[in-house]
Amino acid sequence: MTTTLASIVAAHAVERPGDAAYITRSGRMTWREYHERSDALAAALLADGLQPSERVAVVLPDGDSVHVAFLAIEKAGGVIVGIGARAGEREREHLLAKTGARRVIDGAELTAPRRGSPDPDRARERDDLWLLNSTSGTTGLPKVVMHDQARWFAFHDLAVAAGALTSADVFMSALPAPFGFGIWTAHVTPTLLGAPCVVMPRFDPDACLELVERERVSVLAAVSTQFVMMLEAHSLATRDLSSLRVLFTGGEMVPYERAAQFEDRTGCTVLQFYGSNETGALSRTTLADDREHRLRTAGRVLREMHVRLLSDDGRDITATGGPGIAACKGPVNCLGYLDDDEANAQLFTDDGWMLTGDYCTIDADEYLTVAGRASDFIIRGGKNVSAAQVEDEVATHPSVALAAAVAMPDPTFGERVCVYVEQRPGTPVLTLDDLREHLGVRGVGKELWPERIEVVDALPRSSGGKVAKGELRADIRRRLGRA
């Protein structure tokens, strides 16, 4: 039998039964408990008639129970349908219908006392369809991504090499479990190493800082929005964060100034993979990279992923260094979208390369830099303005905690630049003139200057934890309509 997550947890239950597998704010689950609880749930699923490869939806917050459910479904020979706990009813119903999942684990199944062992002949293999999750996109109904375990085992090897990860590390994943970033940082890599992972049901920056200090977390995983919120937290000044040595981030453009502040405050090293739920990774930064390369680029391309740059008409322009749309083909790619020929035609080129949808450059030293999503450019008078670059510059203003730039319709230029801002507590209300003056002093080109600012209490988030830009685009259209 191929080594799988279930077989590795079973081994840990024998070799380190009393060590913590998952740590929450209120307790610990040992490797033996993890194995026994997932065994019991798997046996219950089989007793209830679960069929081989049947889809089972899991809708749980990000505590230890979601991992018990994932492992139980694997042991019972089912396929996990991971649905984010923050998914709305419309999104949830869409995913249930799309995947054909008729069983939903949402809490009650995990509290009823039961004993039993699953049938070992029903367990999944590493190359089998293992998980279905959704794109954490910001518009429309999500597509369903197909995963096997093999891709995440390959991703694990890349992560271990990047951050010198070992079983002595204490992990903390602040990410939603069903999505790619949360899968490898909470469900896969800690298990493969036999290291504990700290989890919390919903991200809260002060609670996160408390757990980092209490559990002496050494490897933290958080999207950029989350670690910026930690920097803004009231309790930051009083916390001992000296145990942190690595922060893995990604999912959004890494804001240079804030990432540098996080390193200076904690002494840790900020690392990232560039990729997506679908592609896995195209490049990574490592402990061997200097700060400029770690925070100004997305790292060196991964040879295993055969990264290419394509022009808009599909020509290979890798030799020019770009910019071009990044494409890849390698061991950490997903299996494609479930039952969606149209979406797969957009995801893959005719000759089988997976497209990212991002414009990137690759320099002579093989460092990749993301210019912005093909869909996240603001086209002002025929000129492409990178929303990611606007956000990076706006975030340098001392009053700005978080920023998101979107296109607003304009009858003359087609689109103009609008920026939504969360302010730091206690700072004066930021005006457009204040912001433009700041950017001018920094020497920022006027094409990156916002032409409208909206200060909000909190930026909306998608179910994957990223800023929901679709909501912001809709909001600015409503505001303009009212005006």
Side-chain angles (χ1 to χ4, degrees):
M1 183 184 214
T2 308
T3 301
T4 61
L5 291 169
S7 65
I8 290 170
V9 171
H12 291 332
V14 173
E15 296 163 3
R16 55 185 80 192
D19 290 353
Y22 289 98
I23 301 170
T24 65
R25 206 170 182 183
S26 59
R28 283 165 149 66
M29 181 172 69
T30 67
W31 290 106
R32 177 172 13 189
E33 291 168 336
Y34 186 23
H35 179 52
E36 290 177 349
R37 285 178 60 186
S38 56
D39 259 5
L41 180 56
L45 289 169
L46 291 172
D48 196 42
L50 183 76
Q51 297 300 304
S53 302
E54 183 179 337
R55 283 80 189 269
V56 181
V58 179
V59 188
L60 291 169
D62 294 295
D64 52 16
S65 293
V66 70
H67 300 285
V68 170
F70 285 2
L71 197 65
I73 296 167
E74 175 192 340
K75 289 179 175 182
V79 174
I80 305 158
V81 178
I83 300 179
R86 296 176 63 188
E89 189 64 27
R90 180 167 173 260
E91 179 181 342
R92 174 173 166 166
E93 292 303 317
H94 164 74
L95 294 173
L96 292 176
K98 182 72 176 176
T99 61
R102 294 185 298 276
R103 300 172 191 267
V104 179
I105 296 176
D106 57 10
E109 307 85 347
L110 297 159
T111 58
R114 55 168 65 94
R115 294 183 179 275
S117 298
D119 180 354
D121 293 333
R122 293 285 295 273
R124 309 296 288 171
E125 298 290 331
R126 195 189 298 189
D127 294 327
D128 290 337
L129 179 62
W130 164 63
L131 167 72
L132 299 171
N133 69 8
S134 63
T135 55
S136 55
T138 57
T139 60
L141 290 171
K143 297 178 282 291
V144 176
V145 182
M146 300 185 290
H147 306 254
D148 57 15
Q149 287 192 16
R151 72 176 301 220
W152 293 110
F153 277 62
F155 199 107
H156 163 80
D157 291 339
L158 298 173
V160 167
L165 308 178
T166 74
S167 60
D169 280 310
V170 177
F171 287 74
M172 180 172 187
S173 180
L175 304 150
F179 303 104
F181 199 174
I183 286 293
W184 82 261
T185 56
H187 195 70
V188 175
T189 286
T191 292
L192 296 188
L193 292 174
C197 184
V198 182
V199 288
M200 55 197 309
R202 188 178 180 122
F203 177 75
D204 175 87
D206 290 296
C208 187
L209 290 166
E210 175 194 343
L211 286 166
V212 169
E213 179 181 54
R214 190 186 83 184
E215 301 299 334
R216 307 304 294 158
V217 170
S218 58
V219 179
L220 175 64
V223 295
S224 300
T225 301
Q226 290 171 325
F227 82 73
V228 170
M229 291 172 70
M230 292 169 70
L231 277 173
E232 299 298 321
H234 293 298
S235 62
L236 177 68
T238 63
R239 294 296 181 192
D240 175 8
L241 307 178
S242 59
S243 61
L244 272 182
R245 65 178 194 85
V246 174
L247 164 65
F248 279 105
T249 191
E252 302 165 288
M253 184 174 177
V254 177
Y256 180 92
E257 299 291 342
R258 296 306 175 84
Q261 289 173 20
F262 197 88
E263 288 190 338
D264 293 341
R265 170 62 181 83
T266 66
C268 80
T269 302
V270 175
L271 301 179
Q272 66 165 312
F273 283 93
Y274 161 64
S276 66
N277 194 17
E278 292 91 335
T279 60
L282 287 78
S283 64
R284 67 177 175 189
T285 54
T286 74
L287 295 175
D289 290 317
D290 59 39
R291 176 179 279 188
E292 286 299 301
H293 282 103
R294 283 188 292 98
L295 304 186
R296 296 285 191 196
T297 79
R300 279 197 170 97
V301 295
L302 295 161
R303 300 285 179 88
E304 302 92 329
M305 294 305 294
H306 309 289
V307 178
R308 305 166 69 188
L309 298 178
L310 305 178
S311 64
D312 288 339
D313 59 5
R315 291 179 296 107
D316 189 326
I317 58 170
T318 311
T320 70
I325 296 175
C328 61
K329 184 190 291 186
V332 300
N333 287 158
C334 76
L335 303 176
Y337 295 124
L338 176 69
D339 298 334
D340 198 331
D341 292 340
E342 181 179 350
N344 280 320
Q346 295 176 346
L347 179 63
F348 293 97
T349 64
D350 292 340
D351 54 350
W353 292 79
M354 188 175 288
L355 298 168
T356 63
D358 291 339
Y359 286 110
C360 300
T361 60
I362 300 174
D363 69 17
D365 295 320
E366 299 190 316
Y367 282 94
L368 182 148
T369 300
V370 182
R373 288 199 62 77
S375 61
D376 202 17
F377 275 82
I378 300 158
I379 305 174
R380 186 188 189 281
K383 181 177 177 58
N384 288 351
V385 179
S386 167
Q389 286 183 283
V390 173
E391 291 158 2
D392 201 34
E393 293 296 344
V394 169
T396 65
H397 192 284
S399 293
V400 175
L402 294 170
V406 295
M408 61 178 180
D410 183 81
T412 302
F413 292 94
E415 295 177 342
R416 290 181 185 263
V417 181
C418 175
V419 65
Y420 283 77
V421 167
E422 280 185 34
Q423 285 202 209
R424 290 182 172 178
T427 58
V429 175
L430 185 63
T431 68
L432 184 61
D433 287 342
D434 294 335
L435 183 56
R436 290 161 71 94
E437 180 181 358
H438 169 78
L439 296 176
V441 170
R442 281 179 57 81
V444 176
K446 289 189 175 181
E447 70 275 7
L448 297 180
W449 289 19
E451 295 165 280
R452 181 178 178 124
I453 184 173
E454 296 291 343
V455 177
V456 295
D457 292 334
L459 295 173
R461 304 285 194 273
S462 69
S463 56
K466 299 178 185 178
V467 173
K469 288 200 170 180
E471 292 186 29
L472 296 180
R473 294 185 187 100
D475 181 75
I476 191 59
R477 286 195 295 270
R478 286 193 296 268
R479 291 174 187 260
L480 293 172
R482 287 196 298 268

